[in-house]
Structures are given as C-alpha cells and as structure tokens.
Amino acid sequence: MTPQPLTTQPRTANAPPARTLTPELLRAWAWHKQGLDGSLAGCSAEQVFARAGWARSVGGANPYLTLFARAGIRREQVDADVLAHRILELPTARGCTYVLGRDDFAWALTLGRDAAEATVKVVGRIGVDRGEITLLEEQVLHTLAEAAVPMDPRQLKEELGESVRNLGEEGRRKGATTTLPTALGILQSQGRIRRVPANGRLDQQRYAYELWNLPPSPLDDDQGRTELVRRYLGWTGGATFKQSQWFTDFTVAQSKAALAAVGAVEVPTAAGERLWMLPDDVDQLSDFQEPDDEQIQLLAGTDSLALLRRNAAELLAEEDQHANTLGSLALQADLPDHPIVDRGRIIGLWQYDPGKEQIVPWVFRAPTNAVTRRIAEVEAWIREDLGDFRAFSLDSPATRQKRIDNLAAAATGSAAVS
C-alpha cells in the first residue's frame, strides 16, 4: 500500500537542496548519527542506546560490539550493567527483543504487547481460551514468588505440572508446543516478570525468569508510538515512510499521526527518495560535511546502522553495487556477513574463525593501515572478551564455515586482481 502524503510542517528554510544530499553524504550523516565517528567515546551503555538506538539481540554478539565500537565498553562492564538492571534485553518494537537502557524499559515494553497478545490468538485457534492463559499467568507468578532463585522454562514446567498444556502436533506446526511460552510472553510484555541470562551473557539464548513488577509507563499508546518515531528518526538521521513502518510495525494511520506529532519534515534527496527527518536534524544536515579521514569500524550484520532501515545495499558504493562479486549482496535487505565500514560505506565483510582465533576479512580493495589496525583490535577484543562472535543463537563455527571459506576465497581473488 502506498502511503498518501502527510500533513506536517513544510520543509524548513535551512533544508539543503536535494542535489547536495548524495548517497555519499547521507551515508556519512547516518554514520555520525549512529555515533560511529567517535562522538560516543567514553559514554555509558545507556547513553549509547539512547543516541544510537536499541541493539537487536537474537542470542548473538551484536549488543557487545555495538557498545565496543561506539564507546569502547568491554564485556565485563556490559554484563555488570545487565546485572544491575541499567540495561536489559526486552521484547519491544514488532515484538522483537532489543537491549535498551532503563529509562526506556516501561514505555518500550508497551510496544511489544500486541505481538504478545497475538500468540494468545494462535493458541486460541487450537482450543486454548484466554481464561486458561490468564490462570496460567497467575500460577507462574505464584511459583516465581515462592522460588528462591530464577527458574528456567523446564523448571517452571515441572513445577506447574498439568497446568501447562501440551499442544501436540498441531501446536508444534504453529510454533507453540505448550501454553507456557504464551503466558511467559504476556507477563514479560507487562513487566511483571523478566528474563535473566542463564550465565549472565547476552550472546546466548538460555534464560531463567524472575518476578519484576516494573511500574507501568506514564505514556498512553499514542504517546508511546510518537516517542518511538521520535527516537527512530533521531537514531537514523532520517528514513523513508516505508522504512519507518518496517521498524515500528505501525499502521499507515498510526505512522502518519506519529510523524505529524513529532513535526517530521519531508526532505527530498539526490537519489529521488524522500526522507522524514526531525526539524533539528534538517538544520544540522545543512552544515554537515563528510569527514576527510578514514573512520574504520567492524560491525555486526545486525548493527543499527543497517538494521534500523534494512538498507544494506545503500551502504555500498555505487561501483560496488554493480560489481560482479557484490551484485547479489546489493540485492539483499540483510547482510549475510558482518560489515567492515568506513564513514558509513561498507568496504568489506568479515567472520570470526574461533578455531584459528582470527577474523577472516574480505576487504573489497587493498586494505589501508587503518583497516588492518582496526581488524587486529577487534580480533583481540573477541578473543579476550567473547571467545567467539556469533551472529545469532544457532550460529556456530560449523554452520558458518562455508561463509568463512567464501570470504577467504573472495579475499584471495581480490588480492590476485590487485
């Protein structure tokens, strides 16, 4: 569905001419807004997530690298922040889990409630009514209140006994083997319980649960949607209507209302896109200039720089988008490997080989000293802090070996051409 034009503030007088908003400039602008230019050095994890956006967590190492790349924060400090509830992994926008700062906990949870309630409809289609789930929720709360320590799903299921219904083959096909995950999801979205990483680390998906009873958000649903759009436009520095809808999962009407509420400004670009931006960002973009010196970062494939707008292809230089070896990459919304980036432009890809304890990079052109140095720094950090770099919970050295081999072959081929 193509959205109709919004009724918002007109373009400000300071908005730069469309011809000046080239892909190169906009890549560097997004890089700056993401704090990857060194402007977040020394900041806390909470400050990084407030400025650059929540870190997508799928049992992978992205949250750790998000903080290391932008502020030099090591894993020990990140884990301490989780333990102290300064940052937590919570279900929020689109029902997806992100790591975010404590100032956002309550209102961010409200964004994931519809997704949690949707699971009630799924089990309802196989004969589970809402009353059964509500009763199970209360039994979970009572069990956790009686427990001395957090309980994992297996322990909860054993303690709850027949209160947890097995949904059989039909449930398995619908992704719901028992009624317990639905009850846990509802309680999490309400802030009544929270997940605790089994070993204190974010790069895995083994959890236990404990009571939480987070005070409710003072924002109503409309205010919560407005706040998310305000944050999203600030994190990205500007996005198309379609991109904002993908991230928020708002309806057309909800998106229009939120954009109008934040006073979003529609700004045309040299590529013909129309970006919705916050008024202050429009003014700042008018004076923004792409840095002259290299700013090299190794990021996760799920880093906010690419994930928030799912525009990985736009982060490639035009000549790389049409190169034989990179043409397929330019057609993908999400990256198959982790990117090596300079001022917003993807200049290479990488994976980590834990057997050899080294990064396997493919730099599209001859690597500069700055690229080589940053690869070595991130490689040492992975060895010392993480031991491995998983993209998601089921990622393993064996499952990524083909990607590692492909990168090594591509790097050898590029060196031969050079």
Side-chain angles (χ1 to χ4, degrees):
M1 179 176 180
T2 302
Q4 297 300 310
L6 300 175
T7 302
T8 61
Q9 296 181 4
R11 264 183 60 192
T12 65
N14 292 331
R19 68 178 184 279
T20 68
L21 298 184
T22 62
E24 293 78 13
L25 181 72
L26 290 173
R27 282 194 291 263
W29 168 249
W31 180 258
H32 164 67
K33 293 296 293 181
Q34 279 289 301
L36 287 160
D37 56 357
S39 56
L40 286 175
C43 287
S44 68
E46 293 175 79
Q47 291 170 324
V48 171
F49 293 141
R51 159 82 180 271
W54 307 330
R56 184 75 170 97
S57 55
V58 284
N62 174 55
Y64 290 118
L65 186 51
T66 290
L67 295 170
F68 180 71
R70 291 164 173 81
I73 301 174
R74 305 296 295 240
R75 198 205 92 204
E76 182 179 9
Q77 181 60 56
V78 178
D79 292 347
D81 287 341
V82 172
L83 185 63
H85 298 187
R86 288 185 286 266
I87 62 173
L88 289 175
E89 179 189 49
L90 299 175
T92 177
R94 308 187 316 282
C96 296
T97 54
Y98 291 84
V99 181
L100 56 153
R102 58 185 159 188
D103 288 346
D104 295 344
F105 290 167
W107 74 269
L109 276 176
T110 66
L111 301 168
R113 286 182 184 169
D114 286 348
E117 287 291 342
T119 65
V120 178
K121 296 179 181 179
V122 171
V123 297
R125 289 194 285 270
I126 50 180
V128 180
D129 64 33
R130 187 63 175 88
E132 180 177 345
I133 297 298
T134 299
L135 178 59
L136 181 56
E137 290 169 27
E138 295 305 317
Q139 292 172 316
V140 168
L141 293 174
H142 175 76
T143 301
L144 291 178
E146 295 292 318
V149 296
M151 300 179 69
D152 65 31
R154 179 186 57 79
Q155 293 169 322
L156 280 169
K157 186 177 179 182
E158 290 177 355
E159 186 69 23
L160 292 165
E162 294 181 358
S163 296
V164 177
R165 198 206 303 187
N166 190 310
L167 299 177
E169 180 61 24
E170 186 177 5
R172 188 190 65 79
R173 289 198 299 268
K174 295 182 181 297
T177 56
T178 75
T179 52
L180 183 59
T182 298
L184 293 175
I186 293 293
L187 291 171
Q188 284 186 88
S189 72
Q190 296 171 346
R192 302 176 74 184
I193 66 173
R194 78 173 191 93
R195 295 195 311 192
V196 181
N199 61 358
R201 290 183 56 160
L202 295 169
D203 54 348
Q204 50 82 54
Q205 281 193 317
R206 292 180 57 248
Y207 303 100
Y209 294 85
E210 65 181 9
L211 290 182
W212 193 13
N213 294 321
L214 179 72
S217 170
L219 304 183
D220 63 27
D221 289 347
D222 287 340
Q223 291 170 327
R225 285 190 288 267
T226 296
E227 184 61 20
L228 182 60
V229 167
R230 187 194 321 278
R231 297 294 191 90
Y232 176 75
L233 294 184
W235 298 335
T236 58
T240 67
F241 190 94
K242 183 177 180 180
Q243 288 168 345
S244 72
Q245 273 201 297
W246 172 81
F247 179 77
T248 63
D249 199 30
F250 296 163
T251 66
V252 170
Q254 290 169 343
S255 297
K256 288 182 177 181
L259 286 167
V262 301
V265 178
E266 190 177 24
V267 178
T269 71
E273 287 187 323
R274 305 184 78 82
L275 301 181
W276 289 96
M277 300 178 63
L278 297 175
D280 286 349
D281 281 342
V282 176
D283 294 336
Q284 292 176 33
L285 182 56
S286 298
D287 298 323
F288 179 76
Q289 293 183 343
E290 183 180 357
D292 292 328
D293 297 331
E294 290 175 286
Q295 296 176 351
I296 308 299
Q297 294 284 3
L298 274 68
L299 303 175
T302 49
D303 187 89
S304 294
L305 181 69
L307 183 72
L308 288 174
R309 295 188 293 175
R310 296 191 76 196
N311 65 334
E314 296 176 17
L315 303 182
L316 292 167
E318 185 175 0
E319 59 269 27
D320 290 335
Q321 293 180 23
H322 302 293
N324 290 335
T325 53
L326 292 169
S328 61
L329 179 64
L331 297 176
Q332 299 181 46
D334 301 308
L335 292 168
D337 298 298
H338 310 301
I340 304 170
V341 194
D342 178 15
R343 289 162 290 179
R345 178 168 63 90
I346 295 175
I347 61 171
L349 300 170
W350 68 278
Q351 289 280 359
Y352 186 74
D353 185 340
K356 297 180 179 179
E357 294 190 326
Q358 65 183 29
I359 284 174
V360 179
W362 171 29
V363 183
F364 303 152
R365 292 166 185 78
T368 64
N369 290 335
V371 171
T372 302
R373 181 169 58 252
R374 188 56 180 169
I375 290 174
E377 291 169 351
V378 174
E379 184 176 87
W381 168 74
I382 294 173
R383 278 199 305 265
E384 296 165 10
D385 282 33
L386 305 182
D388 191 10
F389 194 90
R390 299 195 302 172
F392 49 89
S393 61
L394 299 180
D395 187 18
S396 69
T399 59
R400 83 176 77 109
Q401 189 59 54
K402 184 176 180 179
R403 297 299 317 164
I404 291 173
D405 293 342
N406 288 344
L407 288 178
T412 300
S414 295
V417 172
S418 299

